[in-house]
Amino acid sequence: MDRAAVILKKGEGRTIKAGGAWIYDNEIDKIEGDFENGDVVEVRDFDGYCMGCGYINTNSRITVRMLSRKKNTIIDETFFGQRVREAWEYRRQTIDTSSCRLIFGEADFLPGIVVDKFADVLVVESLALGIDRWKSVIVDAVKKVLEEDGIRIRGVYERSDAKVRLQEGMERSKGFLGEAFDTKVEILENGVKYLVDVAEGQKTGFFLDQKNNRAAIHRFCKGKKVLDCFTHTGSFALNAGIAGAESVLGVDASQLAITQAEENARLNHLEDRVKFQCADVFEVLPELEKEGEKFDVVILDPPAFTKSRNSVKNAVKGYREINLRGLKLVRDGGFLVTCSCSHFMEQELFARTLREAAAGAHRRLRQVEFRTQACDHPILWAAEQSYYLKFYIFQVVEER
């Protein structure tokens, strides 16, 4: 098998030796043989030991993304078909597949690609040059595997419009892969109906990773007054409503998101009890506190405040502020639901930030449960980038 070979420096490659998927440019000693960016290359340790193969892109700091740990693996349609079949079988055994993430990049041993299923529509996000070459093969394999289970996909939409593609030397891409279709797709999750806008919604259109966490709040919301901050298209707010909340207020800074949330409330006949407000959460929380408002349940589901290690300190300030403000609005004995979706906001740091917020608010926290992302977003140990969502439910009590 005539492949170029990436040779690691002595003492480097610790991440992939521990089971990770990425090789950075500063870990490479030399590259032997001819190649084009996007090609599959062999990876060798400094002493010549074969560590497997992956695709290369010298435009990116992540120069190689590993595809296989086995020597002389043939990377072809059969290879990708098997990877897709394994990903689907895992979901069938672990989660409701009516709408789910079918492929989660490195955690499914297909680095750089995400495929989400919303009812009978697929949304594809391709973020790396090497996998982009195989995108159509992977999509065809997904459709074939699903059809074998009697699931017919009526349309595929590409949302490869993230800025990270520019770092790979690629253009951002968005549009239909195949025939056009109505890009507003109705899905059902935890008894809640949503209209998912796969063309204009954030990322792939809907955040599937909180599926089980949204279900977890049901038992705390019946008959309660609920505040849902950073509600986006209303997912936590609507779950509170379906669970029987007396009243729900959802707040988000995006008017588009609020319009979609209100549409989803009407779809579920919850518009009388679930209301939405377009406003900056950082401004709304102190206003509600000043007005003397109290809620039985406060939910904080912010966007990632940090997407790099360099901005973690500022992110900590943001998380501390919203949690301190949110805690002050929780009625004694009520509940705080709070989370971070930033990989760089590590669990220990997030927990410490919450302790500081509780101390500042003069509240005591009793942990009800700790959760992570839904299992269709599997956490592959050693591939640390696959673990990002930290989710807590606390009972909040005043100083005793």
Side-chain angles (χ1 to χ4, degrees):
M1 191 176 297
D2 188 20
R3 287 175 179 161
V6 170
I7 315 299
L8 302 183
K9 295 176 182 176
K10 188 173 183 178
E12 295 291 353
R14 289 183 292 273
T15 300
I16 68 161
K17 290 172 184 175
W22 294 351
I23 298 173
Y24 289 91
D25 53 3
N26 60 0
E27 298 181 284
I28 296 172
D29 178 33
K30 59 184 176 180
I31 303 173
E32 297 178 346
D34 297 327
F35 70 92
E36 292 182 3
N37 283 328
D39 284 352
V40 175
V41 296
E42 189 174 293
V43 177
R44 299 177 193 160
D45 207 353
F46 73 97
D47 59 0
Y49 177 78
C50 180
M51 305 175 74
C53 65
Y55 44 78
I56 188 169
N57 187 355
T58 56
N59 291 315
S60 174
R61 276 201 63 227
I62 306 169
T63 305
V64 180
R65 299 173 190 253
M66 298 297 289
L67 281 169
S68 174
R69 300 307 181 108
K70 297 181 179 179
K71 189 175 181 179
N72 297 327
T73 300
I74 297 172
I75 307 300
D76 58 8
E77 292 185 12
T78 301
F79 171 86
F80 286 106
Q82 183 60 30
R83 284 281 198 267
V84 166
R85 188 173 300 279
E86 290 167 355
W88 173 241
E89 285 301 316
Y90 165 79
R91 270 87 185 162
R92 287 182 62 197
Q93 296 177 70
T94 58
I95 201 163
D96 165 30
T97 58
S98 59
S99 291
C100 66
R101 176 150 292 182
L102 281 179
I103 296 175
F104 185 41
E106 284 75 1
D108 284 305
F109 311 104
L110 289 168
I113 193 167
V114 165
V115 179
D116 284 345
K117 174 181 176 289
F118 297 111
D120 56 356
V121 165
L122 299 179
V123 181
V124 181
E125 183 180 35
S126 171
L127 301 175
L129 178 61
I131 207 74
D132 206 62
R133 291 184 174 184
W134 294 95
K135 179 173 59 187
S136 61
V137 169
I138 292 169
V139 169
D140 287 345
V142 170
K143 290 195 287 188
K144 179 182 177 183
V145 167
L146 293 179
E147 195 167 325
E148 290 173 3
D149 273 353
I151 302 168
R152 183 180 175 277
I153 296 300
R154 68 180 171 92
V156 183
Y157 199 85
E158 181 170 16
R159 286 296 303 270
S160 302
D161 48 353
K163 289 182 180 178
V164 70
R165 277 176 67 98
L166 303 178
Q167 299 170 16
E168 289 272 318
M170 304 161 67
E171 294 182 356
R172 296 159 83 173
S173 179
K174 176 180 174 181
F176 296 102
L177 295 180
E179 294 183 8
F181 57 91
D182 184 354
T183 56
K184 284 195 173 182
V185 183
E186 184 176 318
I187 69 169
L188 179 67
E189 178 195 276
N190 302 332
V192 181
K193 297 175 183 177
Y194 301 94
L195 278 177
V196 177
D197 190 340
V198 300
E200 301 302 330
Q202 287 190 27
K203 295 194 174 179
T204 61
F206 186 75
F207 297 110
L208 292 162
D209 52 1
Q210 293 272 30
K211 176 186 292 188
N212 296 337
N213 300 339
R214 288 188 280 261
I217 72 165
H218 283 214
R219 64 187 185 276
F220 305 106
C221 293
K222 187 174 182 179
K224 301 299 176 61
K225 182 179 179 182
V226 179
L227 174 65
D228 178 23
C229 299
F230 309 97
T231 191
H232 190 228
T233 55
S235 58
F236 275 104
L238 294 168
N239 273 269
I242 284 288
E246 179 183 280
S247 68
V248 184
L249 173 62
V251 182
D252 199 277
S254 166
Q255 184 57 59
L256 174 62
I258 290 296
T259 299
Q260 292 175 330
E262 290 172 340
E263 190 175 15
N264 286 329
R266 289 191 293 273
L267 186 64
N268 290 277
H269 308 292
L270 292 171
E271 62 271 28
D272 59 331
R273 290 185 289 119
V274 182
K275 305 293 184 182
F276 296 97
Q277 179 182 352
C278 183
D280 185 333
V281 170
F282 284 92
E283 295 176 0
V284 167
L285 293 181
E287 288 174 4
L288 290 171
E289 180 189 347
K290 188 176 179 180
E291 293 166 4
E293 286 280 6
K294 289 289 183 180
F295 296 86
D296 299 298
V297 181
V298 171
I299 301 165
L300 302 173
D301 181 22
F305 287 163
T306 175
K307 295 185 178 181
S308 72
R309 296 196 187 279
N310 297 331
S311 58
V312 167
K313 284 186 178 180
N314 286 334
V316 167
K317 293 178 183 177
Y319 283 114
R320 186 190 298 122
E321 173 70 10
I322 62 164
N323 281 280
L324 186 151
R325 296 291 183 183
L327 281 164
K328 288 184 175 182
L329 293 172
V330 180
R331 201 184 313 279
D332 185 25
F335 295 89
L336 175 73
V337 178
T338 185
C339 58
S340 167
C341 62
S342 172
H343 158 67
F344 296 100
M345 190 70 178
E346 295 177 351
Q347 183 179 336
E348 184 178 342
L349 178 59
F350 186 47
R352 185 163 69 244
T353 303
L354 294 176
R355 283 197 295 270
E356 292 169 356
H362 304 290
R363 300 292 191 273
R364 304 294 296 276
L365 298 179
R366 291 206 285 203
Q367 183 176 321
V368 178
E369 59 180 304
F370 172 76
R371 310 172 70 93
T372 61
Q373 61 239 40
C375 53
D376 55 344
H377 296 62
I379 298 170
L380 179 64
W381 283 32
E384 61 177 26
Q385 67 278 3
S386 66
Y387 176 32
Y388 63 94
L389 182 60
K390 281 75 63 175
F391 179 94
Y392 284 98
I393 300 176
F394 295 105
Q395 186 188 44
V396 180
V397 294
E398 295 180 358
E399 295 285 4
R400 294 292 197 261

